[in-house]
Amino acid sequence: MTTPRHIRQAVFGAGASAMAATAFAAAVPDYGPNLERFEYPHEVRRFSLDTQGQKLEMAYMDVAPARPNGRTVVLMHGKNFCGATWEGTIEALTGEGYRVVAPDQIGFCKSDKPASYQFTFHQLAANTHALLEHLDVRHAVVMGHSMGGMLATRYALMYAKETDALVLVNPIGLEDWKQRGVPYRTVDQWYASEQKTGFDGMKKYQKGTYYAGQWRPEYDRWVLMAAGMLQDPQARKRVAWNQALTYDMIYTQPVVHEFRDIAVPTTLLIGERDNTAPGKDAAPPEVAKRLGNYARLGPEAARAIPGARLVAFPEMGHSPQIQDPKRFHEALIESLDDMASRGRR
């Protein structure tokens, strides 16, 4: 990948000073509401959808391996992530012969952000299925991270015969927040909150949750990606509105109660120092402290999903594929080989 010059100049080595890092953090580029000016690691294509009475475009990467093994992996990003965030995983998978399809869901990243859209995991799964039909992908491993784990679960439930296996990477939705005592927020409340977000707040949250309190300068790139969609006031409104609708989807459409119905080989790759729980900040303190305990939630989910395998990373947070790529991808490839041997195809 060729990194834009202004980002290359801002990347810090291990000896970079704190003063330089602070200056870098303040220089948030205007990437545009659809990340028009943020470079992805592979060619980005666009798929046109007629959905909910409007024509929308879904961005995606379709990366072919040098030596194909005949299998495809579909990567589903999280709420605060994009297809580009999977760059290390794409490299690892294509190196093992997998074709990789990495879409940006409608409402996210390089895809269209409609002013009016009913966000449901069923709809996003149907959009992804339509894309795969367009690409003539009839069977695939479906892999989801964070919110993408909820979406991948829904996809596997809807399209079990076309899903070779399911991989869940620190998925949210391993607990039903409404049942746990997280109060409901209206879309308007989420919208007001999302309009106040920015680089500093994003980085503080990600440091504590995604990387278990650790931080490396290269992580700034992903914060800049998200913050870079918000620089123009009108773009900020559009992005914030779609994010608010997404939060409502996450809260009101739990998948945890259907884990028992998953009928495909499943692996959970879980960083156990993760404590992600959307809406936790609005919960009473005695409730909040019990939420997002992935050291407990991972084993619970593995027991609930028939035949599921759990791979735990005790010292990692919400994004183990970024925090320790080598170790994560070794575990991923081993898991894919194991699930393939169980004979889904």
Side-chain angles (χ1 to χ4, degrees):
M1 172 185 169
T2 301
T3 305
R5 183 180 179 188
H6 68 283
I7 297 298
R8 288 203 306 271
Q9 292 173 336
V11 174
F12 301 101
S17 69
M19 183 179 297
T22 302
F24 175 52
V28 180
D30 181 1
Y31 285 134
N34 286 4
L35 288 178
E36 297 91 337
R37 293 175 290 279
F38 183 86
E39 188 175 3
Y40 271 33
H42 299 278
E43 178 187 2
V44 176
R45 305 174 187 178
R46 304 190 75 80
F47 172 57
S48 182
L49 283 161
D50 288 310
T51 171
Q52 298 188 17
Q54 54 193 313
K55 188 176 291 293
L56 299 173
E57 288 196 337
M58 187 176 181
Y60 68 95
M61 292 177 285
D62 182 4
V63 187
R67 293 179 294 279
N69 66 9
R71 307 190 77 209
T72 299
V73 178
V74 179
L75 300 177
M76 298 183 174
H77 62 78
K79 177 185 175 296
N80 297 320
F81 302 84
C82 296
T85 324
W86 286 114
E87 66 175 359
T89 303
I90 293 172
E91 181 179 358
L93 289 171
T94 54
E96 294 291 326
Y98 290 91
R99 176 184 180 182
V100 178
V101 178
D104 284 345
Q105 297 298 326
I106 293 296
F108 294 86
C109 306
K110 284 187 178 288
S111 291
D112 285 347
K113 296 170 182 62
S116 176
Y117 202 69
Q118 183 182 12
F119 278 87
T120 69
F121 287 116
H122 288 81
Q123 178 70 73
L124 298 185
N127 293 349
T128 304
H129 188 258
L131 169 64
L132 296 181
E133 286 191 323
H134 170 73
L135 298 175
D136 198 30
V137 174
R138 303 301 174 184
H139 293 271
V141 175
V142 178
M143 178 171 170
H145 171 234
S146 192
M147 182 204 75
M150 296 183 77
L151 174 56
T153 299
R154 178 56 61 204
Y155 188 98
L157 290 166
M158 291 174 65
Y159 305 108
K161 292 182 179 179
E162 297 163 67
T163 303
D164 290 340
L166 174 65
V167 180
L168 302 176
V169 183
N170 280 76
I172 60 171
L174 297 182
E175 54 192 336
D176 184 336
W177 298 293
K178 180 176 66 175
Q179 285 190 348
R180 298 282 191 188
V182 176
Y184 176 74
R185 281 173 171 164
T186 66
V187 172
D188 292 323
Q189 288 172 320
W190 280 119
Y191 179 56
S193 175
E194 285 294 295
Q195 287 202 78
K196 298 175 184 177
T197 193
F199 179 92
D200 292 337
M202 290 177 179
K203 182 171 179 175
K204 180 179 179 182
Y205 175 76
Q206 291 190 20
K207 181 177 180 180
T209 300
Y210 295 176
Y211 306 108
Q214 305 168 37
W215 194 264
R216 293 200 293 267
E218 57 264 33
Y219 300 159
D220 276 330
R221 179 178 173 223
W222 304 122
V223 189
L224 287 169
M225 177 187 69
M229 288 187 283
L230 308 174
Q231 296 308 101
D232 176 81
Q234 290 306 312
R236 173 180 285 270
K237 290 179 180 179
R238 191 192 317 176
V239 173
W241 181 248
N242 279 252
Q243 291 287 293
L245 294 174
T246 301
Y247 267 126
D248 188 73
M249 172 180 71
I250 289 169
Y251 181 91
T252 61
Q253 299 173 37
V255 295
V256 63
H257 306 298
E258 297 171 77
F259 281 172
R260 64 183 180 277
D261 299 325
I262 294 174
V264 303
T266 302
T267 294
L268 296 105
L269 298 167
I270 303 294
E272 292 190 327
R273 290 190 62 190
D274 189 2
N275 59 9
T276 304
K280 179 168 62 174
D281 58 314
E286 65 276 11
V287 172
K289 67 182 180 183
R290 295 194 298 268
L291 299 173
N293 181 354
Y294 275 73
R296 172 179 56 81
L297 293 171
E300 285 181 359
R303 288 192 295 270
I305 299 171
R309 178 190 181 200
L310 171 66
V311 179
F313 306 104
E315 75 286 4
M316 295 192 213
H318 189 61
S319 300
Q321 75 276 26
I322 299 174
Q323 194 172 358
D324 191 342
K326 184 177 185 296
R327 185 177 166 200
F328 174 85
H329 292 123
E330 286 175 351
L332 170 63
I333 298 303
E334 180 184 344
S335 297
L336 291 175
D337 290 344
D338 174 69
M339 290 188 289
S341 70
R342 294 192 235 170
R344 280 293 299 173
R345 288 184 65 186

